[in-house]
Amino acid sequence: MEVQRRELLGLTSSDLCQLLESLGEKPFHGKQIYYSIYKLRQFQIGEMTELSRALRGKLQQCSRLTLPQPSLSQLSVDGTRKYLFELADGKRIESVFIPEEQRNTLCISTQVGCPMDCKFCLTALIGLARNLTAGEIAGQVLSILKDQQEPLPEIAAKAKRSQNRRGSAKPVNIVLMGMGEPLLNLENVSRALVLMADPGGIGIPPHRITLSTVGLAPKILDLAKAPVVPNLAISLSATTDDVRDQLMPVNRKYPIHDLIQACEQFPLRPRQRLTFEYVLIDSINDLDQDARRLVRLLSRLRAKVNLLPLNPGQGNGMRPSSPERVRRFQEILASKGLAAYIRRPRGADIFAACGQLHHAQQPLQMVH
Ligand code: SAH
């Protein structure tokens, strides 16, 4: 019978030191392994040349390092690239790389599928298969940066300073906005946040990481106590409980009032704001009175609003608001002093835009 080998991806530096100690080795080799994985991005145990050949052999016997490998990827006309990852157990998730002028954004998944059942989102059709591990969450970042040949942020900053700069040395933003509800997998997400933000590892600072949630009110307060607290985005998408109950069943458990109250208790750094995402659906949640109610709901919060015209998906007869409606909605918010941005969809031609991640939606082809 083969012994279960220990997965190294997802362990922190101190976890690795403990592991090495338990193998009767010097703990500091754990630090070397951590550095190899997260800084040097060496994902083959056999090629971690800072370790002795004997130690590499021993590690290969009792452990493994499984970076999620993209099995397919698709490139949008706008430069967005969607990755399909096949995990060790054959389950599949998607992640998206979104190049922008000032930064590159990685949109990563936290669950295989999602149980929240939002009526406008394609991922909902899959239901929940399982939570991702911390290694699988942080591994998406490592794997995409490797594929894009992006230097890790610290190396990018060095390259910039030395004027030896490649065009791609941009800061990286992470958004936990792929498949899944991150606050339903808070323990693993929290560990992944520690890995992603560690200056001695991946090194993406917390202010460049945003977690988006359907609004599980009590878990928002748990997140505030996590060791690494990212920016918080709330998917609101309605201004009355009647409408939100219909669009987002989670609202029946945590109605708008409870959600806003939890948001009011979420600690913000100076100049930090909460983001409210609002999917605009024709005649359902895009009326002038919705805009005015939204201003009132958020009046006690330091907040901005991202307006997302509905992306086609579930095929249930809902339509995106017209561009004029979207603009009018934005104007009403702005006229009352509420900052609102219209988000243009990225990667919609390859079903990579918000709410479109669903690995079985269409046959994927390899496009390079
Ligand atoms: N479960 C989390 C993380 C997923 S983020 C959350 O819901 O926040 C996905 C974002 O895309 C959410 O803001 C969601 O409201 C938005 N979205 C989902 N379906 C969409 C669609 N069809 N068009 C536009 N945005 C959509």
Side-chain angles (χ1 to χ4, degrees):
M1 195 182 85
E2 208 202 324
V3 195
Q4 188 69 19
R5 288 188 295 159
R6 181 83 184 266
E7 175 58 57
L8 298 186
L9 193 69
L11 300 185
T12 61
S13 183
S14 62
D15 293 337
L16 285 165
C17 292
Q18 271 174 27
L19 176 67
L20 271 280
E21 199 168 10
S22 73
L23 296 174
E25 299 288 338
K26 299 237 166 59
F28 81 92
H29 292 308
K31 286 194 180 152
Q32 291 175 315
I33 297 169
Y34 186 84
Y35 188 86
S36 293
I37 299 174
Y38 294 100
K39 276 285 188 237
L40 305 178
R41 288 198 231 153
Q42 176 51 263
F43 305 116
Q44 308 288 341
I45 297 172
E47 285 165 31
M48 294 182 175
T49 46
E50 322 65 52
L51 308 177
S52 70
R53 189 178 293 267
L55 180 53
R56 280 181 265 161
K58 186 169 177 181
L59 279 171
Q60 279 170 321
Q61 295 281 310
C62 67
S63 64
R64 61 197 169 120
L65 210 172
T66 332
L67 187 69
Q69 294 293 340
S71 49
L72 290 168
S73 81
Q74 274 183 298
L75 185 62
S76 158
V77 287
D78 68 17
T80 299
R81 187 176 278 279
K82 180 165 81 168
Y83 292 90
L84 178 73
F85 288 103
E86 190 154 325
L87 305 171
D89 63 354
K91 300 258 184 310
R92 301 191 297 176
I93 51 164
E94 290 179 334
S95 324
V96 187
F97 176 82
I98 308 157
E100 295 171 275
E101 291 253 307
Q102 303 295 330
R103 69 188 81 92
N104 291 321
T105 298
L106 306 188
C107 175
I108 63 175
S109 293
T110 55
Q111 297 184 308
V112 182
C114 184
M116 300 312 309
D117 203 23
C118 299
K119 300 305 172 201
F120 42 76
C121 178
L122 262 183
T123 308
L125 299 181
I126 311 172
L128 177 70
R130 69 168 170 86
N131 282 336
L132 295 183
T133 64
E136 287 167 337
I137 297 169
Q140 294 167 63
V141 175
L142 291 169
S143 190
I144 295 175
L145 293 179
K146 176 172 171 242
D147 184 70
Q148 296 286 336
Q149 302 195 315
E150 282 291 319
L152 287 167
E154 189 191 271
I155 298 170
K158 256 188 213 149
K160 204 168 167 180
R161 281 199 296 276
S162 68
Q163 298 293 311
N164 171 25
R165 179 168 176 242
R166 295 195 302 142
S168 59
K170 286 182 205 164
V172 172
N173 281 4
I174 307 275
V175 294
L176 303 180
M177 296 191 187
M179 288 179 171
E181 168 49 44
L183 294 186
L184 283 181
N185 185 16
L186 186 53
E187 197 178 316
N188 293 338
V189 165
S190 183
R191 287 173 62 85
L193 288 168
V194 169
L195 291 170
M196 294 188 290
D198 181 8
I202 301 178
I204 296 172
H207 72 266
R208 291 204 168 272
I209 307 177
T210 299
L211 181 152
S212 176
T213 175
V214 293
L216 299 165
K219 300 258 165 136
I220 288 176
L221 301 175
D222 294 342
L223 176 68
K225 294 183 216 127
V228 169
V229 182
N231 297 317
L232 181 62
I234 309 285
S235 300
L236 190 61
S237 296
T239 60
T240 64
D241 283 326
D242 273 353
V243 174
R244 200 164 190 269
D245 281 353
Q246 299 299 316
L247 292 177
M248 302 179 69
V250 66
N251 197 67
R252 295 175 203 153
K253 191 146 184 212
Y254 302 113
I256 294 176
H257 174 263
D258 297 12
L259 172 56
I260 299 294
Q261 219 171 32
C263 291
E264 284 169 357
Q265 290 168 50
F266 189 80
L268 295 174
R269 295 181 281 270
R271 301 208 317 279
Q272 191 190 6
R273 290 188 290 186
L274 294 172
T275 301
F276 285 83
E277 295 152 293
Y278 198 99
V279 180
L280 280 164
I281 309 171
D282 182 36
S283 307
I284 292 188
N285 62 3
D286 65 350
L287 310 179
D288 286 3
Q289 64 204 52
D290 284 304
R292 288 194 288 266
R293 266 194 300 261
L294 184 56
V295 172
R296 278 200 299 279
L297 280 174
L298 306 186
S299 62
R300 288 195 304 276
L301 290 164
R302 226 154 66 212
K304 65 167 174 156
V305 176
N306 281 345
L307 299 171
L308 304 101
L310 177 76
N311 292 313
Q314 283 204 18
N316 48 14
M318 294 193 283
R319 290 175 312 273
S321 307
S322 68
E324 299 74 51
R325 243 315 71 212
V326 175
R327 230 169 296 127
R328 167 95 182 130
F329 202 93
Q330 180 194 33
E331 274 164 20
I332 297 174
L333 303 185
S335 72
K336 313 266 185 202
L338 181 55
Y341 305 90
I342 300 171
R343 303 306 299 250
R344 74 193 155 97
R346 296 291 306 262
D349 56 333
I350 54 163
F351 270 71
C354 289
Q356 296 190 312
L357 299 186
H358 181 321
H359 50 74
Q361 170 63 24
Q362 52 179 21
L364 292 164
Q365 339 112 268
M366 198 61 145
V367 186
H368 277 296

